[in-house]
């Protein structure tokens, strides 16, 4: 593998101007620049790659000291324990989390990677590392998203030796924050119907593992971390952060070494992982994206959001604003039929809904969750004339038509299972564990993948389907795979095949949009988001609970991606909040309605129509603007979020009161992200009249938002004059 010398590339001034990557041949140092951060790495005298800098912008490569290789402190504390290795193979005197670990057919296990070559092309840097004895290579790929402030790392392991190797760990890379202690880790944890609970804790010596062993991204942790200097707040302080683009088993190990170094290694989960590589074969890690913010957790989130909107979502900045959606699930559950859906569609259209999605129950013998998954043919009792009349009717009402599918699953009570019992994931003739009465299809098999692609392609071809809600309602169990050399390959092949189906569907049906759902927020990550347009945030649509879930979600993911519905009360946990409160909570993302519209009163219809119209007037600001989390639902009685349009012309403040104590005064909420010198016209949503204030006053003094009683809420729309 010979790469063009970087020196030649850098010698051409035109190319130099085009790249955000500098190289010093003399020091063997690379310096990667984004608008708001810099990252440096270099080769030490032993040929190892060291992280040298990660933080705010620095412009002088001469400032970056070359990699020294460190020095051992005792026979128990070798040099490699003290340096920030960029991508250590497991071998030599290494005891920290490795980035890659292998076993050769002959039993030898060490992999000691030394710099071999590199190339800079535009904003891409490739560094090739080679084992000190064998022709086993790792190519590290870096891409700089300059304006967004993000750097992508990924790695490709290539076996050019003469023997097969078994990969036991393949990570995407290691991020090391500046040497020292006193850092805090932020991550989200949760469970079904309580995803994205933001957690912040001190980092101590030892390793904390965030991971999924469930086959999908999972509700329990999300593949994201943020490390702050110990005192960062929403708008101040230093935050280093990263997120993986992988929807299968993933792992992020946050390690504080006894040598006061915090390092984060992430990639494919090592649990039950094995990947054989014959001579000539290679394995690529998922991408690991990282960034730095000097402006606190808010600055971190705004960078992530901008990055997702620009570089991750399938059509990037060209993707349309998310339409207002209606979904029938909570209204009808499995009891869908043509007359019932037509009636709901008529009502939804009158409210201003733009996308009508029929959820579970339309196919096979699907009258409850005990049967039908796998049989993706229209149920003739419920839809005697197929789906076409309904879909066309929905279109005639001016709405797009969307359909729920759960392609990766199979009920034992289905024609598909009766025909192909071996397609369900299982371990020989051992018992198969059902969850929600269903088994997981072994999507790692190419015949299963082709079958599912054909089924979905047929639906998308036959009917005017604009949108699939793609669900996945249980994790893996008994992930066996018979008659293959390495059954453990199932874990990654499954995810790759799901990606492939989505990619092929989108290529063949360019108008098609996909929502990623996995019993709510079980599959949300930067891998699936390259293939879907939005995600189902949580099956918990209770508005007060949602404030907390959306708070955690917003740390990482943009409001445009966050599907949020208004549903009926009392909701799943028995709480009843006013319809206005439910709307304002849901209007902070991609607004949807999931209520039983047949039960809406005239007053409900009026309010819903007004709210949807108002939402459309602030939609670009909410979905694509800058988010400022002013008051957290984790503290105090009032939650407040502000969205500022990209061009600064509009801002929207949402405020929610949990429950007021007698005579407690209404809070003054200090806004952010405005132009201090500009004047803003402020209107309270739903009220006549306006007031004018300067940006300076709104940010310094704040504005008093009248909230009283329980579950009161308000939205203020600010227009820059
Ligand atoms: C999952 C989804 C719900 C709904 C049901 C249908 O729970 O998260 O929104 O689609 O499946 O069975």
């Amino acid at each position: 593998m010979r790469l063009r010398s970087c020196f030649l590339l850098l010698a051409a001034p035109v190319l130099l101007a085009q790249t955000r990557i500098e190289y010093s041949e003399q020091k063997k140092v690379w310096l990667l620049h984004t608008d708001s951060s810099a990252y440096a790495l270099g080769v030490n005298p032993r040929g190892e790659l060291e992280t040298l800098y990660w933080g705010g912008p620095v412009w002088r490569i001469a400032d970056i000291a070359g990699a020294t290789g460190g020095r051992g402190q005792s026979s128990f504390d070798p040099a490699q324990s003290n340096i920030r290795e960029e991508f250590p193979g497991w071998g030599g005197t290494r005891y920290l989390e490795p980035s890659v670990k292998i076993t050769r057919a002959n039993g030898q296990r060490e992999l000691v990677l030394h710099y071999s070559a590199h190339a800079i092309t535009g904003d891409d840097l490739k560094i090739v590392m080679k084992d000190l004895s064998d022709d086993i290579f790792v190519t590290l790929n870096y891409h700089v998203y300059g304006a967004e402030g993000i750097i992508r790392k990924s790695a490709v392991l290539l076996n050019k030796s003469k023997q097969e190797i078994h990969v036991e760990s393949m990570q995407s890379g290691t991020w090391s924050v500046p040497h020292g202690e006193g850092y805090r880790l932020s991550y989200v944890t949760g469970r079904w119907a309580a995803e994205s609970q933001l957690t912040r804790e001190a980092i101590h010596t030892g390793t904390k593992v965030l991971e999924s062993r469930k086959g999908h991204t999972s509700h329990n942790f999300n593949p994201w971390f943020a490390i702050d200097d110990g005192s960062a707040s929403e708008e101040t302080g230093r935050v280093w952060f990263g997120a993986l683009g992988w929807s299968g088993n993933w792992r992020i190990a946050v390690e504080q070494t006894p040598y006061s170094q915090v390092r984060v290694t992430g990639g494919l989960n090592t649990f039950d992982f094995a990947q054989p590589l014959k001579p000539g074969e290679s394995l690529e890690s998922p991408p690991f994206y990282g960034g730095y913010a000097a402006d606190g957790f808010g600055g971190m989130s705004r960078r992530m959001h901008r990055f997702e909107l620009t570089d991750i979502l399938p059509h990037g900045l060209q993707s349309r604003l998310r339409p207002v959606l209606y979904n029938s699930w909570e209204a009808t559950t499995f009891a869908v039929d043509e007359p019932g859906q037509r009636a709901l569609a008529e009502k939804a259209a009158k409210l201003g809904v733009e996308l009508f999605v029929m959820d579970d129950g339309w196919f096979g013998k699907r009258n409850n969750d005990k049967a039908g998954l796998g049989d993706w043919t229209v149920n003739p009792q419920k839809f005697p004339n197929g789906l076409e009349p309904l879909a066309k009717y929905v279109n005639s009402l001016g709405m797009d038509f969307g359909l729920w599918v759960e392609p990766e699953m199979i009920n034992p009570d289905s024609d598909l299972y009766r025909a192909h019992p071996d397609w369900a994931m299982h371990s020989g003739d051992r018992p198969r564990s059902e969850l929600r009465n269903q088994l997981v299809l072994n999507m790692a098999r190419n015949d299963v993948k082709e079958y599912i692609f054909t089924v979905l392609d047929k639906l998308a071809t036959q009917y005017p389907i604009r949108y699939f809600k793609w669900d996945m309602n249980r994790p893996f169990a008994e992930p066996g795979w018979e008659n293959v050399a390495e059954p453990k390959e199932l874990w990654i092949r499954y995810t790759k095949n799901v990606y492939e189906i989505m990619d092929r569907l989108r290529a063949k049906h360019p108008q098609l949009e996909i929502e990623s759902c996995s019993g709510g927020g079980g599959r949300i990550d930067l891998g699936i988001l390259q293939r879907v347009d939005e995600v189902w945030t949580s099956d918990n649509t209770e508005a007060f609970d949602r404030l907390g879930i959306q708070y955690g979600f917003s740390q990482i993911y943009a409001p445009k991606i966050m599907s949020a519905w208004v549903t009926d009360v009392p909701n799943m946990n028995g709480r009843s909040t006013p319809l206005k409160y439910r709307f304002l909570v849901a209007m902070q993302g991609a607004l949807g309605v999931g209520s039983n519209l047949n039960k809406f009163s005239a007053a409900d219809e009026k309010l819903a129509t007004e709210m949807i119209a108002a939402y459309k007037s602030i939609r670009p600001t909410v979905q694509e603007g800058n988010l400022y989390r002013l008051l957290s639902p984790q503290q105090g009685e009032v939650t407040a979020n502000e969205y500022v349009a990209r061009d600064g012309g509009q801002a929207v403040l949402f405020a929610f009161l949990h429950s007021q104590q007698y005579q407690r005064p209404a809070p003054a909420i200090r806004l952010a992200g405005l132009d201090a010198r500009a004047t803003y016209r402020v209107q309270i949503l739903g009220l006549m009249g306006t007031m004018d204030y300067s940006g300076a006053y709104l940010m310094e003094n704040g504005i008093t938002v009248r909230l009283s009683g329980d579950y009161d809420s308000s939205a203020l729309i600010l227009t820059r004059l």
Side-chain angles (χ1 to χ4, degrees), residues 459-519:
L459 282 170
T461 307
Q462 200 173 352
Y463 301 115
I465 295 173
R466 181 78 198 263
Y467 183 94
F468 277 131
K469 176 177 172 184
W470 180 310
D471 212 337
M472 190 231 189
N473 272 316
R474 61 156 291 176
F476 295 11
E478 295 100 20
W481 190 3
E482 283 149 354
N483 307 320
V484 292
E486 180 47 83
K488 293 176 183 171
E489 274 191 56
L490 178 146
W491 296 108
I492 52 176
R493 284 197 185 271
Y494 183 106
T495 303
K496 284 183 180 169
N497 281 351
V498 169
Y499 285 172
E500 184 191 314
I501 295 173
M502 290 185 174
D503 292 343
R504 281 164 63 188
L505 277 175
R506 293 195 77 117
K508 194 160 171 203
H509 306 277
Q511 289 287 306
L512 183 71
E513 297 176 335
I514 304 177
E515 171 182 358
S516 171
C517 175
S518 181

Side-chain angles (χ1 to χ4, degrees), residues 192 327 329 334 359-360 366 369 404 406 436 469 471 473 517-521 536 538-539 565:
W192 175 77
N327 179 297
W329 172 245
F334 300 95
D359 210 276
D360 202 348
R366 189 74 171 165
D369 64 13
W404 181 95
E406 195 179 356
R436 208 194 191 205
K469 176 177 172 184
D471 212 337
N473 272 316
C517 175
S518 181
W536 184 219
S538 177
D539 275 350
W565 305 349

Side-chain angles (χ1 to χ4, degrees), residues 555-597:
Q555 304 291 319
I556 322 169
Y557 303 110
K560 186 176 183 180
I561 298 165
M562 183 180 78
S563 189
W565 305 349
V566 174
T567 57
D568 295 332
V569 289
N571 203 295
M572 55 202 300
N573 57 9
R575 190 179 284 127
S576 288
T577 58
L579 186 58
K580 178 183 160 198
Y581 182 98
R582 282 175 271 150
F583 259 102
L584 292 183
V585 170
M587 282 162 68
Q588 296 178 96
L591 174 66
V593 178
S595 298
N596 186 349
L597 299 181

